[in-house]
Amino acid sequence: MDYGQFFIFVGVGLLAQLVDGALGMAYGLVSNSILLALGLPPAVASATVHTAEVFTTGVSGAAHAWFGNVRWKLFWQLAIPGAIGGILGATFLASVPGEAIRPWVNAYLLILGTMVLLRAFGKRLTRHRVQHSGVLGFFAGLLDAIGGGGWGPLATSTLIARGGGVRSTIGSVNAAEFVVTVCTSATLVWHVGVGHWPIVLGLLTGGVIAAPFAAWLVRHLPEQAVMAAVGSLIVLISLGQLVQTLL
């Protein structure tokens, strides 16, 4: 892998983390989709992305904590069950292809993205907050490991769609993602290893550079604009993945 390719992945990691840190999602989805397009098997692609995410989520979580974006009770409610789900999902992915479950996950994300967009444009939705954040964290961690990404879209969009504050939700989800990613990455590396360190280094370099700025950005952007961006991103990603599955 030459330096030109390395810097391409630096750019991918930078843009993916900028979106992820500001909107609470998409680093794994963006990075993993590129690696799959390059022909890496799902388990290897997920292991590569999650290994890079150990560093990017650590910096991102610390930055969100520094800027006061983390609600610590929510952090622990998501992190511990999410780590358990990540370990189980990574173990499952190492032995069974995760492709069959993706259409169902994307259909769910499409519904949630639509809910977030409706809320962003003034539609009054239920204000009942998610009562069982631990259950949400478990399934988000499980599906993130199997699909190579999805922690942010599942956790962030569900919490925001059900009335959670945008800044504290994004900050808490990003911080909890570090714990989940460490457990998922360790499990995947144990089972399949990581043989693409130049890609890992490129992704994490770009991600680490972007993480502090993204955490600052979410603190200053208008809440309605962030919700509209979150909803649009989820709808576009889920629709694209569903269309790709059907073709």
Side-chain angles (χ1 to χ4, degrees), residues 124-145:
R124 187 178 296 276
L125 302 175
T126 175
R127 294 296 298 181
H128 296 301
R129 295 181 181 273
V130 174
Q131 297 298 316
H132 303 288
S133 300
V135 175
L136 172 63
F138 173 81
F139 282 104
L142 181 74
L143 296 173
D144 179 81

Side-chain angles (χ1 to χ4, degrees), residues 73-90:
K73 181 179 179 181
L74 177 60
F75 165 84
W76 289 114
Q77 289 173 338
L78 293 171
I80 296 176
I84 296 171
I87 292 170
L88 293 177

Side-chain angles (χ1 to χ4, degrees), residues 32 35-49 93 97-99 102 146 148 188 192-193 196:
N32 194 65
L35 296 187
L36 290 176
L38 292 175
L40 272 69
V44 176
S46 184
T48 302
V49 171
L93 179 64
E99 301 296 330
R102 287 189 181 184
I146 293 172
L188 284 168
V192 302
H196 300 275

Side-chain angles (χ1 to χ4, degrees), residues 142-180:
L142 181 74
L143 296 173
D144 179 81
I146 293 172
W151 166 263
L154 283 170
T156 302
S157 56
T158 300
L159 291 167
I160 291 178
R162 295 301 301 272
V166 173
R167 182 166 66 88
S168 63
T169 295
I170 291 175
S172 302
V173 169
N174 266 263
E177 188 177 12
F178 170 69
V179 178
V180 177

Side-chain angles (χ1 to χ4, degrees), residues 5-99:
Q5 291 175 312
F6 169 77
F7 284 113
I8 288 174
F9 283 102
V10 170
V12 171
L14 192 151
L15 292 174
Q17 184 59 41
L18 187 63
V19 174
D20 187 280
L23 303 182
M25 64 189 72
Y27 183 93
L29 289 175
V30 172
S31 303
N32 194 65
S33 62
I34 293 174
L35 296 187
L36 290 176
L38 292 175
L40 272 69
V44 176
S46 184
T48 302
V49 171
H50 280 94
T51 301
E53 282 189 305
V54 169
F55 300 90
T56 60
T57 55
V59 175
S60 180
H64 277 291
W66 175 267
F67 287 111
N69 299 336
V70 178
R71 186 153 56 94
W72 292 105
K73 181 179 179 181
L74 177 60
F75 165 84
W76 289 114
Q77 289 173 338
L78 293 171
I80 296 176
I84 296 171
I87 292 170
L88 293 177
T91 303
F92 177 79
L93 179 64
S95 56
V96 180
E99 301 296 330

